[in-house]
Amino acid sequence: MTMNKIDILLGLQWGDEGKGKVVDALTKNYDIVARFQGGPNAGHTIEFDGKRFVLHNIPSGVLTPGCINVIGNGVIIEPHILKGEIEGLLSNGFDLHDTLKISNRAHLILPTHRALDAANEQSLGKMKIGSTLKGIGPTYTDKTARKGLRIGDIATPDFHDKYDVLKKSHLQQIASLGFDMNGFQLENIDFAEYEKRWFEGIEYLRQFSFIDSEYFLNEALDNGKKILAEGAQGSMLDIDFGSYPFVTSSNVIAAGVCSGLGIAPSRIGNVYGIFKAYCTRVGTGPFPTELFDEVGETLRQNGHEFGATTGRPRRCGWLDLPALKYAVMLNGVTRLMMMKSDVMDDFETLKVAVAYDYKGEKVKRLPFEACTETMVPVYQEIKGWHQKINGSIPQQLEDYIRFIENYIGVPIKLVSYGPDRTQNIYR
Ligand code: GDP
Ligand code: IMO
Ligand code: MG
């Protein structure tokens, strides 16, 4: 008998590839969708019937009736944000009481983790990472330092004492960075008020089922259930393989599914890697194909490239094939999905980076010292399709797709041409 396996969908660039849209579109084929890493730094957009939802801590299967959604042990949770999301969905007719399950082992983002994130960024000055300031770095730091609080701790009698101990140590760190907590606000409210709401979030979450998600998921697989793991961020933001230190603090690549859900490598099935037909990045850090001219501005305007979590304008540039190939290697991608092709409908020609001119040499690998100044893209010019995509693939777009497939060596199975759930062409 063949073993039932978990499929993965993850981003191959710097995040915001359109993961929410595709997870939602694929959910009809799955019983369970599970997030395995990251936290509310993610912003996954789903659109259908003229409605638009942005999910941060919750898996993108929640808009499909009957689908079970699991927040895995590798995810970090901000209770106040999660409560707001659950309530927002409820007011739109999506009741998650029976379908949302949260791992006991998922770590909690404390209000002081968020304050510490702000203090860290301030102390970095020009070298700041451009964090979403959701407390991601400090929370994962405490996890590895073995000091963190987990969802399962909420049910223990000394939860408040544990909270106070951790908070105290954060306040000391914040003071030592010279950061002033006086007047500090989170989401436009005073810190003390925010902390109060955070505890309301904790109380609210008690109605949901806290589970040992590693057992839940492995048993579901044993029972023939179909599971999709949903990545957050993108491979170029991976803590090990991204452009360190301008990265997030988790393993966002396929390997993160094993540790973030408790799934053995032999149980990984298809890996769907998704990328935009061009590139975007929010926050600081190297971006060799970034465009500062009107072409970059056209991509930003046509693609509405403004952050789903922070509203920041996204940096835009041409597709970077060496970087994409690197991500495909790291993840063992079996099928590619190309998003936002429609954004380049008006282009007469487009460019795609096929190598870098790196310190006088033409290279196709990502150097250890990833740096925009030293990695000068070598471009190939491609003829644009110069027409509106609507349900079928124009010849020049097909040529672009074939060019990418030849370079990467993995087939592109889905071409997305609009934000709506239905705007997909399957190849
Ligand atoms: P995620 O973080 O990977 O889920 O992506 P985001 O939601 O942050 O950003 C993707 C944005 O592009 C969202 O606003 C989507 O609605 C939108 N989008 C997704 N696919 C397409 C597409 O094929 N064409 C266009 N024009 N927009 C898309
Ligand atoms: P989704 O899941 C795009 C970026 C931030 C910053 C860096 C570190 O929507 O694709 P962090 O808050 O993790 O400390 O930020 O990573 N970043 C994202 N960029 N999409 C995301 O998520 C991101 N999550 C984090 O902008 O540069
Ligand atoms: Mg996003």
Side-chain angles (χ1 to χ4, degrees):
M1 204 182 88
T2 53
M3 199 201 291
N4 189 24
K5 295 184 178 184
I6 188 168
D7 294 333
I8 308 173
L9 182 136
L10 41 72
L12 300 175
Q13 295 165 319
W14 285 278
D16 304 329
E17 296 89 351
K19 298 176 290 292
K21 173 188 159 160
V22 177
V23 169
D24 169 67
L26 294 182
T27 297
K28 58 181 185 300
N29 306 323
Y30 292 91
D31 302 297
I32 301 171
V33 174
R35 277 273 306 269
F36 59 94
Q37 49 68 233
N41 50 348
H44 295 182
T45 314
I46 300 166
E47 294 192 24
F48 59 91
D49 298 341
K51 282 181 292 212
R52 186 169 190 267
F53 297 88
V54 181
L55 301 170
H56 301 286
N57 238 154
I58 295 182
S60 300
V62 284
L63 300 170
T64 302
C67 177
I68 300 289
N69 287 269
V70 175
I71 300 181
N73 59 280
V75 177
I76 57 179
I77 293 172
E78 213 287 16
H80 169 70
I81 295 177
L82 182 53
K83 172 175 178 267
E85 267 187 83
I86 297 172
E87 288 176 337
L89 287 163
L90 189 60
S91 68
N92 279 287
F94 297 95
D95 185 341
L96 309 192
H97 282 89
D98 293 333
T99 52
L100 181 69
K101 312 218 175 279
I102 308 172
S103 169
N104 274 313
R105 295 171 191 274
H107 279 246
L108 287 167
I109 303 175
L110 271 53
T112 42
H113 279 130
R114 298 191 61 181
L116 192 51
D117 214 358
N120 283 335
E121 283 282 71
Q122 183 182 286
S123 72
L124 284 169
K126 269 197 186 143
M127 283 295 284
K128 80 178 166 100
I129 289 154
S131 162
T132 60
L133 300 179
K134 302 292 184 225
I136 305 297
T139 305
Y140 278 119
T141 302
D142 278 349
K143 176 178 176 174
T144 27
R146 299 164 293 185
K147 295 196 299 193
L149 287 181
R150 297 181 291 174
I151 283 287
D153 288 318
I154 297 175
T156 59
D158 55 348
F159 176 67
H160 282 256
D161 298 337
K162 291 177 188 156
Y163 175 90
D164 287 338
V165 170
L166 194 52
K167 177 184 170 184
K168 197 171 156 204
S169 98
H170 291 160
L171 290 176
Q172 282 165 355
Q173 290 175 60
I174 290 165
S176 74
L177 288 164
F179 185 86
D180 192 356
M181 283 295 288
N182 278 324
F184 178 72
Q185 293 199 326
L186 274 171
E187 319 238 322
N188 301 320
I189 51 174
D190 285 342
F191 183 79
E193 175 61 23
Y194 193 89
E195 194 179 32
K196 198 174 133 247
R197 295 193 191 172
W198 189 90
F199 275 107
E200 285 164 12
I202 292 282
E203 291 311 310
Y204 182 81
L205 291 186
R206 288 183 197 273
Q207 329 160 40
F208 291 87
S209 55
F210 300 164
I211 60 167
D212 295 323
S213 56
E214 63 282 23
Y215 280 113
F216 180 83
L217 294 171
N218 279 289
E219 285 164 9
L221 280 178
D222 291 342
N223 293 326
K225 300 283 184 213
K226 300 204 60 118
I227 307 178
L228 180 66
E230 172 182 5
Q233 289 80 56
S235 301
M236 303 311 287
L237 290 170
D238 183 82
I239 182 74
D240 279 281
F241 301 105
S243 42
Y244 194 88
F246 304 101
V247 295
T248 191
S249 297
S250 64
N251 276 122
V252 314
I253 57 170
V257 171
C258 298
S259 57
L261 292 177
I263 299 290
S266 56
R267 294 201 108 167
I268 305 286
N270 266 313
V271 180
Y272 304 111
I274 104 167
F275 68 101
K276 286 180 194 175
Y278 50 97
C279 280
T280 64
R281 174 166 204 169
V282 255
T284 28
F287 183 1
T289 60
E290 183 168 10
L291 293 165
F292 299 94
D293 56 8
E294 66 278 14
V295 181
E297 193 51 38
T298 306
L299 289 171
R300 184 154 40 247
Q301 294 306 330
N302 289 2
H304 304 288
E305 295 296 358
F306 298 89
T309 297
T310 57
R312 292 179 289 178
R314 295 175 182 146
R315 301 156 66 194
C316 298
W318 296 119
L319 184 62
D320 183 336
L321 287 180
L324 189 64
K325 191 161 180 160
Y326 183 62
V328 166
M329 172 185 83
L330 296 170
N331 289 299
V333 170
T334 57
R335 290 171 195 181
L336 285 166
M337 298 175 167
M338 186 166 88
M339 311 299 291
K340 303 195 90 159
S341 322
D342 55 302
V343 171
M344 298 200 292
D345 279 355
D346 303 336
F347 288 34
E348 284 189 32
T349 56
L350 29 140
K351 287 183 186 171
V352 43
V354 292
Y356 310 113
D357 192 341
Y358 180 69
K359 297 182 177 172
E361 246 183 282
K362 192 174 157 192
V363 299
K364 290 187 172 180
R365 295 163 81 103
L366 268 69
F368 167 73
E369 282 180 290
C371 165
T372 306
E373 286 71 40
T374 56
M375 292 165 71
V376 182
V378 178
Y379 286 116
Q380 164 94 33
E381 207 165 84
I382 308 238
K383 208 168 153 34
W385 43 99
H386 210 242
Q387 59 179 280
K388 207 166 146 52
I389 308 168
N390 208 345
S392 68
I393 299 176
Q395 188 54 49
Q396 282 86 3
L397 174 56
E398 182 65 28
D399 294 344
Y400 186 46
I401 293 169
R402 295 258 167 99
F403 185 83
I404 298 166
E405 288 182 329
N406 281 337
Y407 189 102
I408 307 284
V410 175
I412 297 178
K413 288 290 190 187
L414 181 148
V415 178
S416 168
Y417 63 97
D420 191 85
R421 196 187 245 180
T422 57
Q423 288 173 303
N424 303 309
I425 302 169
Y426 295 90
R427 287 174 83 240

